[in-house]
Amino acid sequence: MNADPRELAKFGDLAHRWWDPDSEFRPLHQINPLRLEWIVRIAGSLHGRRALDVGCGGGILADAMARQGADVLGIDLASKALKVAQLHALEASTPSIEYREIAVEALAAQQPESFDVVTCMEMLEHVPDPASIVRACAVLAKPGGSVFFSTLNRNPKSFMFAIVGAEYLLRLLPRGTHEYARFIRPSELARACREAGLDVQATRGLKYNPITGRYSMSDNTSVNYLFACRKPGSGA
């Protein structure tokens, strides 16, 4: 299984706080409108389309895509987080959403070329073999479909900002959330995408202003960054 039990336990222990916008997951709540807007800008309207959120956690992005009219499946291997996601969907009456505890590689074997949009956000830096995740996402996308990734760059600046700054100084995230050795350079992610048969369409950076406490998109991919890819072929 392409998962680290320590990582699953770490996020499982915090699962009950996933939908608290003032909790450890506050950054996810803050960046979610930005990444959703970017997904729609690249992929087009989500209305009536099948979307998959890989590593969905408590369902923040999956829920938002469903409210844009997509038929959404969220998958994860963290049982507690999935239960929180399912409970929130019931309480909020989120339409057209389903959650499953299954590895993305297993789902790729079951449902190849089934989704118009595939997202995998803030997950690649938490698994032993990120390239395997990329390959599975590519298999799951329909020809012509869109695949989105976000992760953290590996360089001294990202270490200072994403670990020292975010976890120790500003305390935006719990200490130990990230492991620097698992950060992924854009060139490495681009190679994994190409090898999986995906065309990289666009990249964007995500930056945080400690004075205003706000996140924004930028052209600077030196710390947090996002990839938009397309699977060759017609459809979607």
Side-chain angles (χ1 to χ4, degrees):
M1 184 174 64
N2 186 16
D4 185 335
R6 296 172 301 172
E7 295 290 298
L8 296 178
K10 180 166 59 182
F11 289 104
D13 290 342
L14 296 171
H16 63 289
R17 297 174 61 81
W18 213 287
W19 281 94
D20 179 354
D22 295 318
S23 72
E24 295 88 342
F25 296 103
R26 181 179 179 181
L28 289 183
H29 288 276
Q30 291 179 313
I31 68 174
N32 199 54
L34 296 173
R35 58 187 185 179
L36 179 64
E37 179 185 3
W38 195 63
I39 289 167
V40 172
R41 187 184 310 157
I42 299 292
S45 172
L46 298 180
H47 187 78
R49 303 174 78 188
R50 281 199 84 192
L52 171 68
D53 189 22
V54 178
C56 64
I60 294 173
L61 178 58
D63 192 273
M65 290 195 293
R67 295 186 180 280
Q68 289 283 319
D71 180 7
V72 180
L73 172 62
I75 65 170
D76 206 302
L77 292 174
S79 302
K80 293 180 181 179
L82 279 178
K83 290 178 181 177
V84 168
Q86 291 165 340
L87 180 60
H88 181 271
L90 288 172
E91 292 177 341
S93 299
T94 305
S96 303
I97 196 165
E98 177 190 359
Y99 293 103
R100 288 183 63 188
E101 184 175 340
I102 185 172
V104 65
E105 292 92 344
L107 185 67
Q110 294 177 7
Q111 300 185 39
E113 300 190 343
S114 294
F115 297 91
D116 302 296
V117 176
V118 178
T119 61
C120 181
M121 306 300 212
E122 290 81 47
M123 176 189 165
L124 294 177
E125 69 271 20
H126 295 287
V127 299
D129 185 0
S132 176
I133 304 293
V134 173
R135 289 192 297 271
C137 289
V139 170
L140 284 157
K142 294 179 181 179
S146 298
V147 183
F148 297 88
F149 301 104
S150 69
T151 188
L152 284 156
N153 203 337
R154 190 175 71 254
N155 57 48
K157 180 180 177 180
S158 68
F159 176 80
M160 291 302 299
F161 279 67
I163 295 182
V164 177
E167 297 183 17
Y168 288 83
L169 298 180
L170 299 177
R171 298 183 180 179
L172 300 173
L173 301 168
R175 293 184 180 184
T177 297
H178 293 113
E179 183 178 337
Y180 175 71
R182 287 186 168 177
F183 288 4
I184 304 166
R185 294 189 180 104
S187 60
E188 295 168 342
L189 181 54
R191 182 171 63 249
C193 290
R194 289 194 301 270
E195 291 175 350
L198 296 174
D199 296 329
V200 179
Q201 288 183 293
T203 63
R204 290 291 278 162
L206 193 65
K207 65 180 181 180
Y208 176 74
N209 186 324
I211 297 176
T212 63
R214 294 181 179 275
Y215 290 85
S216 61
M217 289 285 196
S218 75
D219 294 326
N220 190 335
T221 60
S222 59
V223 184
N224 299 77
Y225 67 95
L226 303 91
F227 265 27
C229 304
R230 183 180 183 275
K231 184 172 180 176
S234 59

